[in-house]
Amino acid sequence: MGKNKSSSKSTLYWLGGTFGLIIIVGLTLRFTGVIGNTDSGKEVETATAKLKTITQLVSASGKVQPEVEVIIRPDVSGEIIELAVQEGDFVREDDLLLRIKPDIYQAQIDNLNAALLTQKARLEQTKATLIRAEATYLRDKELYEKDLISEMDYIQSKSEYDSQKASYKATEYQVESAEAQLRQAKEELEQTVIRAPQDGTITGLNVEVGERVLGNAQTAGTEMMRVSLLDRMEVLVEVNENDIVNVDVADTARIEVDAYPERRFEGIVTEIANSARVTGSGTNEQVTNYQVKVRIITPHNLDSSPEKMVRNEVTEDPEDMFVPNFRPGMSATVDVETQTASNVVSVPIQAVTVRDFAKDQDTTKSDDDSAEVMLASSQDDNLTIQEEDIRKVVFVVENGKAVRKEVETGISDNSHIQILSGISAGDEVVIGSYRTLTNLLNDGDNVTVNNKLSVL
């Protein structure tokens, strides 16, 4: 029994000593750097530079509106006694829209007719007086030439004749004036009947029967309704001054309307404003935009056209039958395609970052040189600030290290940017994380690729 206990204790001591020795050797090797000191590097995400077609976009938001819209305002004031249309009705050119009460204008015509007749009667009276004065003048002229009357009598008859001629001319002008006033009154009477200036759909009907409207005589008249071509719609957007230089007439565009989510429509730029619209002028929030009109060229609002288009062909794809019905005021977003570069080297936008090369050069100086520079700077009252040397760079993964490559960039779309020089297609470039790429990663750093952090 004693021998067995002694043997067990010896075995335990031997195992404990062996295990302790292993621990001591392991710690020694770790502290000396023989094992356990491999630097795995910074964890990064990467993507491959590839050849791609990039289309530069200028995005803006705005409202859908008719390309042609006529505001109907009355030329005369009065009460609406007949309204022949309702909002949404389609009308042809010269169709009756509404009537304004004509009584006051008819009474004015009657009054001017009477005034014209009075002026014509006065003209006849003046004409008779002129004929009598002319006969007297001719008689006195003949008598004067025969020395049968005095010169004073002759001058008097001539003056009377000239005066009557002037009176007759003035009366003629008064008749013409009365006739002009009568014509104007008749035109005003005709303007109490308002007809459609063009084919289109009634939009924005703002009046009812019995309502009084103000004419255009002195101020802008009452807006009664609008006649719009709803089968020709456009989007009016505001483009920032920094982007407007890239937009040209006839540029193609992609249009998204909030009322039709997950659908895209085709458009084309038709007009670019020359004058700016400035908001927040004189403040830190000042914004300068330019209005741009984008015509929607995808077929739409077919039921609002003069001849309703009916598709008779049978199709298995319901998408082929879809025709959007846009209404004025709908919200829309426009992406104008300004430039396209085909088959060019491109990388994700986040791969391109910036570095201050001047700062990097300063960090390579020795500690002694840095101390000398600091001493010289402290003795100089006029300190010189080192100018920045900011350049665009991309980090390429080569043999487990991040290699900084200076690059020149071109156009970009929403996700990728064109690389004009610096890297080639097929290079593995670092795209994240954002904090690592912008602040922590340096040229020559060891890196570990982990592309499971995000879906590219």
Side-chain angles (χ1 to χ4, degrees), residues 189-429:
L189 179 62
E190 293 177 355
Q191 289 166 356
T192 60
V193 179
I194 298 177
R195 299 185 179 276
Q198 64 175 24
D199 294 352
T201 303
I202 302 299
T203 57
L205 184 61
N206 301 322
V207 294
E208 298 289 346
V209 174
E211 187 174 342
R212 293 190 63 84
V213 293
L214 181 65
N216 284 322
Q218 296 178 348
T219 59
T222 304
E223 179 180 331
M224 300 184 298
M225 65 185 74
R226 301 187 179 201
V227 179
S228 308
L229 297 181
L230 296 184
D231 58 330
R232 293 166 55 187
M233 304 293 280
E234 65 183 9
V235 182
L236 179 65
V237 298
E238 293 193 352
V239 179
N240 187 267
E241 60 180 326
N242 297 324
D243 296 326
I244 195 65
V245 294
N246 296 321
V247 181
D248 292 317
V249 173
D251 282 348
T252 57
R254 310 168 193 168
I255 302 171
E256 294 182 2
V257 180
D258 291 356
Y260 295 99
E262 300 181 359
R263 291 186 182 272
R264 284 190 177 183
F265 309 100
E266 300 299 321
I268 185 171
V269 176
T270 57
E271 185 178 325
I272 302 174
N274 289 318
S275 57
R277 295 170 61 89
V278 181
T279 58
S281 180
T283 67
N284 293 332
E285 299 179 356
Q286 177 173 321
V287 178
T288 302
N289 292 327
Y290 290 82
Q291 288 190 334
V292 175
K293 293 182 179 179
V294 180
R295 176 185 300 160
I296 304 175
I297 60 178
T298 300
H300 57 276
N301 294 21
L302 297 184
D303 290 340
S304 300
S305 58
E307 289 79 19
K308 294 184 178 181
M309 299 179 61
V310 180
R311 298 190 176 184
N312 296 322
E313 64 271 16
V314 178
T315 177
E316 297 180 356
D317 188 358
E319 290 295 324
D320 293 341
M321 298 294 293
F322 173 75
V323 177
N325 185 26
F326 299 126
R327 296 181 181 274
M330 284 183 171
S331 300
T333 302
V334 173
D335 291 329
V336 181
E337 300 177 357
T338 59
Q339 296 183 55
T340 299
S342 301
N343 202 32
V344 296
V345 178
S346 64
V347 298
I349 291 178
Q350 63 268 31
V352 180
T353 185
V354 294
R355 286 291 188 272
D356 185 357
F357 277 58
K359 182 178 180 181
D360 291 345
Q361 291 175 1
D362 287 344
T363 58
T364 60
K365 295 180 180 180
S366 64
D367 294 339
D368 293 340
D369 292 340
S370 299
E372 292 178 1
V373 170
M374 294 178 60
L375 179 60
S377 299
S378 63
Q379 294 175 351
D380 190 354
D381 294 335
N382 299 322
L383 296 177
T384 302
I385 300 176
Q386 177 69 38
E387 293 184 0
E388 294 182 340
D389 183 11
I390 303 297
R391 305 182 196 177
K392 295 179 181 179
V393 299
V394 168
F395 285 93
V396 177
V397 177
E398 296 180 356
N399 300 322
K401 293 183 179 295
V403 180
R404 185 179 66 186
K405 299 289 186 71
E406 183 181 352
V407 295
E408 182 180 354
T409 60
I411 64 174
S412 64
D413 58 17
N414 291 333
S415 60
H416 286 74
I417 187 169
Q418 177 187 6
I419 303 298
L420 299 176
S421 64
I423 64 173
S424 303
D427 288 347
E428 186 179 12
V429 299

Side-chain angles (χ1 to χ4, degrees), residues 26-292:
L27 291 175
T28 302
L29 293 176
R30 179 173 179 82
F31 284 126
T32 57
V34 176
I35 63 173
N37 198 33
T38 302
D39 183 10
S40 61
K42 298 180 175 67
E43 191 175 70
V44 297
E45 303 170 44
T46 63
T48 303
K50 51 188 169 182
L51 298 178
K52 178 180 172 63
T53 296
I54 295 181
T55 300
Q56 181 172 285
L57 303 177
V58 171
S59 300
S61 58
K63 299 291 184 181
V64 175
Q65 66 179 23
E67 188 172 330
V68 179
E69 184 177 56
V70 179
I71 300 176
I72 307 298
R73 302 179 189 269
D75 292 317
V76 296
S77 302
E79 178 186 346
I80 298 175
I81 60 173
E82 181 183 353
L83 188 59
V85 295
Q86 296 180 348
E87 184 165 358
D89 288 350
F90 182 83
V91 295
R92 297 282 188 177
E93 185 177 354
D94 290 332
D95 281 355
L96 176 65
L97 299 180
L98 59 84
R99 296 180 188 272
I100 297 175
K101 190 173 184 180
D103 295 6
I104 186 173
Y105 301 102
Q106 185 61 58
Q108 187 177 4
I109 289 176
D110 296 340
N111 185 32
L112 290 174
N113 265 323
L116 177 60
L117 293 176
T118 300
Q119 292 297 335
K120 287 183 176 181
R122 186 175 297 170
L123 179 64
E124 292 299 322
Q125 182 181 3
T126 306
K127 183 178 180 180
T129 304
L130 175 61
I131 293 173
R132 185 169 58 251
E134 183 181 11
T136 301
Y137 163 69
L138 294 176
R139 184 199 62 188
D140 289 349
K141 179 181 181 183
E142 184 178 355
L143 293 175
Y144 174 71
E145 290 175 350
K146 295 179 180 180
D147 292 332
L148 296 177
I149 61 173
S150 65
E151 183 180 2
M152 182 63 67
D153 292 337
Y154 169 71
I155 292 176
Q156 184 176 356
S157 63
K158 185 177 183 303
S159 298
E160 180 65 19
Y161 172 59
D162 292 339
S163 175
Q164 289 302 322
K165 283 198 299 183
S167 296
Y168 180 75
K169 205 67 178 177
T171 307
E172 283 185 327
Y173 292 148
Q174 291 174 354
V175 171
E176 292 178 0
S177 175
E179 290 175 342
Q181 292 178 13
L182 181 60
R183 287 195 301 271
Q184 181 180 355
K186 289 180 178 179
E187 289 178 1
E188 290 179 347
L189 179 62
E190 293 177 355
Q191 289 166 356
T192 60
V193 179
I194 298 177
R195 299 185 179 276
Q198 64 175 24
D199 294 352
T201 303
I202 302 299
T203 57
L205 184 61
N206 301 322
V207 294
E208 298 289 346
V209 174
E211 187 174 342
R212 293 190 63 84
V213 293
L214 181 65
N216 284 322
Q218 296 178 348
T219 59
T222 304
E223 179 180 331
M224 300 184 298
M225 65 185 74
R226 301 187 179 201
V227 179
S228 308
L229 297 181
L230 296 184
D231 58 330
R232 293 166 55 187
M233 304 293 280
E234 65 183 9
V235 182
L236 179 65
V237 298
E238 293 193 352
V239 179
N240 187 267
E241 60 180 326
N242 297 324
D243 296 326
I244 195 65
V245 294
N246 296 321
V247 181
D248 292 317
V249 173
D251 282 348
T252 57
R254 310 168 193 168
I255 302 171
E256 294 182 2
V257 180
D258 291 356
Y260 295 99
E262 300 181 359
R263 291 186 182 272
R264 284 190 177 183
F265 309 100
E266 300 299 321
I268 185 171
V269 176
T270 57
E271 185 178 325
I272 302 174
N274 289 318
S275 57
R277 295 170 61 89
V278 181
T279 58
S281 180
T283 67
N284 293 332
E285 299 179 356
Q286 177 173 321
V287 178
T288 302
N289 292 327
Y290 290 82
Q291 288 190 334
V292 175

